[in-house]
Amino acid sequence: MFCKSLLSAVALAAVTLAKTSPAETLDELSLGTWLENIAVRPNGDILATQMFPSAIIYTIKNPTKKPHTLEQLVDLPAIQNIYGIAQVPTGPDSERYVVVGSNGTTIANPTVGTFSAWTIDLVRDSRCGKTKVKKVSSMFNDSRFLNGVTEIPGVSNAVLVGDSTNGNVGHLDLKTGKFDTSAFVFPEMDPTEAVPFGVNGIHIHNGYLYFTNSATVSIFRIAITPRGYPAKGAKVELVINLSSKASFVDDFAFDADGNIYAATNFDNSVISINLKTLKVNTIVGGVDELTVAGSTAVAFGRGKHDKETLYVATGGALAAPVGGTKTEGAKVVAVDTDAN
Ligand SMILES: *[C@@H]1O[C@H](CO)[C@@H](O)[C@H](O)[C@H]1NC(C)=O
Ligand SMILES: *[C@@H]1O[C@H](CO)[C@@H](O)[C@H](O)[C@H]1NC(C)=O
Ligand SMILES: *[C@@H]1O[C@H](CO)[C@@H](O)[C@H](O)[C@H]1NC(C)=O
């Protein structure tokens, strides 16, 4: 889809003319919707969770082929909002995803005590096979804002789940449903009085749990054990303070070189962070743009032809309208990160 040789021929012009990467909206839902998280299946299909107005998981099959359509894959009528999604390792015949969700009043305003975690089982690589949905836990009766979910590499019976309001990351046993909220409790995960969202995106990379804190607009990390608990004596380290570059930081993904791509939500952009040089670039969007309005989460392609395509989920700027007035339906946008 994107031509590398042509791009290098115009590379000089590109430096001065095109600061951001090419972006294409794959599909957009109706006004008043909010997609909160995104995952990509091993077969390349996209999964996107809807936080508002109802608990739906959408899929976009074959995102490199037209037409790209957000189709409903699963709905969870027992809850009203879905937040994070993560895949856990399984046997060769199936795929398993874990989502967390809750009931709530308005956008991003969950009701304490209504959270639950669910597994979604899909037939491996099948686009039309049966899906099996199962509630695995009612979490903690004082869970206030369960948000990010991450796989623990190689672990099939547990995930980590962050609580943006309580400021911790818990360890959820998928067999027993036991949710240990004491696993990671650090002040760097807390929200602030001004911004009630602390720990948000959580991902494990090279033996560390990386997490964003939306309120302090920072990324932190802590060394972990293979089972997904803090390593003995490990301390939280600041990876980068983005507060001079963005007003909010939501979920993120690593590329193959270990750079971070983060959605900025209120800033309507995606930024890249080179962890060696700590250089930060806006790769798509901007405060006054609708390109990725209300960007919530990002994930790289896993198909044959889209490994350098970053898929961005958005919430249509419902929380912070662009220019104070403009909102739109939630969408999924494909961004070619190889073009710069
Ligand atoms: C959550 O909302 C659903 C759908 O509106 C309702 O059926 C369910 O009883 C609610 N759950 C709680 C714990 O209030
Ligand atoms: C949670 O459960 C505990 C023990 O049953 C109870 O003491 C506490 O009040 C409950 N908290 C909430 C927020 O309902
Ligand atoms: C980030 O930088 C700002 C501005 O210098 C500072 O006020 C804030 O305390 C820093 N936050 C963290 C988490 O280091």
Side-chain angles (χ1 to χ4, degrees), residues 112-113 140-144:
V112 180
F140 174 45
N141 69 345
D142 197 30
S143 289
R144 284 167 193 270

mmCIF file of all heavy atoms in Angstrom, residues 112-113 140-144, ligand 2:
data_model
loop_
_atom_site.group_PDB
_atom_site.id
_atom_site.type_symbol
_atom_site.label_atom_id
_atom_site.label_comp_id
_atom_site.label_asym_id
_atom_site.label_seq_id
_atom_site.Cartn_x
_atom_site.Cartn_y
_atom_site.Cartn_z
ATOM 1 N N VAL A 112 -18.472 2.340 41.139
ATOM 2 C CA VAL A 112 -17.660 1.486 42.023
ATOM 3 C C VAL A 112 -18.398 0.178 42.293
ATOM 4 O O VAL A 112 -19.603 0.170 42.526
ATOM 5 C CB VAL A 112 -17.412 2.197 43.377
ATOM 6 C CG1 VAL A 112 -16.571 1.319 44.296
ATOM 7 C CG2 VAL A 112 -16.755 3.533 43.164
ATOM 8 N N GLY A 113 -17.656 -0.919 42.223
ATOM 9 C CA GLY A 113 -18.239 -2.210 42.580
ATOM 10 C C GLY A 113 -18.946 -2.923 41.439
ATOM 11 O O GLY A 113 -19.445 -4.025 41.617
ATOM 12 N N PHE A 140 -12.664 -6.530 42.486
ATOM 13 C CA PHE A 140 -12.605 -6.130 43.889
ATOM 14 C C PHE A 140 -13.794 -5.212 44.114
ATOM 15 O O PHE A 140 -14.103 -4.389 43.251
ATOM 16 C CB PHE A 140 -11.261 -5.406 44.086
ATOM 17 C CG PHE A 140 -11.031 -4.789 45.421
ATOM 18 C CD1 PHE A 140 -11.326 -5.475 46.593
ATOM 19 C CD2 PHE A 140 -10.498 -3.507 45.508
ATOM 20 C CE1 PHE A 140 -11.082 -4.894 47.825
ATOM 21 C CE2 PHE A 140 -10.240 -2.922 46.726
ATOM 22 C CZ PHE A 140 -10.541 -3.615 47.899
ATOM 23 N N ASN A 141 -14.484 -5.361 45.254
ATOM 24 C CA ASN A 141 -15.699 -4.548 45.419
ATOM 25 C C ASN A 141 -15.382 -3.050 45.496
ATOM 26 O O ASN A 141 -16.270 -2.228 45.355
ATOM 27 C CB ASN A 141 -16.541 -5.021 46.609
ATOM 28 C CG ASN A 141 -15.875 -4.733 47.943
ATOM 29 O OD1 ASN A 141 -14.692 -4.437 48.011
ATOM 30 N ND2 ASN A 141 -16.657 -4.805 49.012
ATOM 31 N N ASP A 142 -14.112 -2.713 45.716
ATOM 32 C CA ASP A 142 -13.742 -1.301 45.738
ATOM 33 C C ASP A 142 -12.921 -0.900 44.491
ATOM 34 O O ASP A 142 -12.236 0.119 44.495
ATOM 35 C CB ASP A 142 -12.976 -0.974 47.023
ATOM 36 C CG ASP A 142 -12.941 0.525 47.294
ATOM 37 O OD1 ASP A 142 -13.902 1.220 46.882
ATOM 38 O OD2 ASP A 142 -11.956 0.997 47.889
ATOM 39 N N SER A 143 -12.987 -1.715 43.429
ATOM 40 C CA SER A 143 -12.342 -1.303 42.171
ATOM 41 C C SER A 143 -13.087 -0.068 41.669
ATOM 42 O O SER A 143 -14.318 -0.057 41.590
ATOM 43 C CB SER A 143 -12.441 -2.418 41.123
ATOM 44 O OG SER A 143 -11.605 -3.493 41.470
ATOM 45 N N ARG A 144 -12.330 0.976 41.305
ATOM 46 C CA ARG A 144 -12.960 2.249 40.932
ATOM 47 C C ARG A 144 -12.839 2.572 39.460
ATOM 48 O O ARG A 144 -13.712 3.195 38.883
ATOM 49 C CB ARG A 144 -12.371 3.395 41.756
ATOM 50 C CG ARG A 144 -12.926 3.357 43.136
ATOM 51 C CD ARG A 144 -12.215 4.229 44.141
ATOM 52 N NE ARG A 144 -12.708 3.819 45.445
ATOM 53 C CZ ARG A 144 -13.765 4.365 46.035
ATOM 54 N NH1 ARG A 144 -14.406 5.349 45.474
ATOM 55 N NH2 ARG A 144 -14.176 3.904 47.208
HETATM 56 C C1 LIG B 2 -16.174 -4.414 50.284
HETATM 57 O O1 LIG B 2 -16.337 -5.595 51.066
HETATM 58 C C2 LIG B 2 -15.845 -5.442 52.367
HETATM 59 C C3 LIG B 2 -15.870 -6.821 53.045
HETATM 60 O O2 LIG B 2 -17.056 -7.504 52.758
HETATM 61 C C4 LIG B 2 -16.703 -4.398 53.118
HETATM 62 O O3 LIG B 2 -16.236 -4.235 54.432
HETATM 63 C C5 LIG B 2 -16.585 -3.071 52.375
HETATM 64 O O4 LIG B 2 -17.433 -2.104 52.952
HETATM 65 C C6 LIG B 2 -16.966 -3.251 50.906
HETATM 66 N N1 LIG B 2 -16.643 -2.016 50.177
HETATM 67 C C7 LIG B 2 -17.494 -1.431 49.330
HETATM 68 C C8 LIG B 2 -17.012 -0.184 48.651
HETATM 69 O O5 LIG B 2 -18.612 -1.857 49.108
#
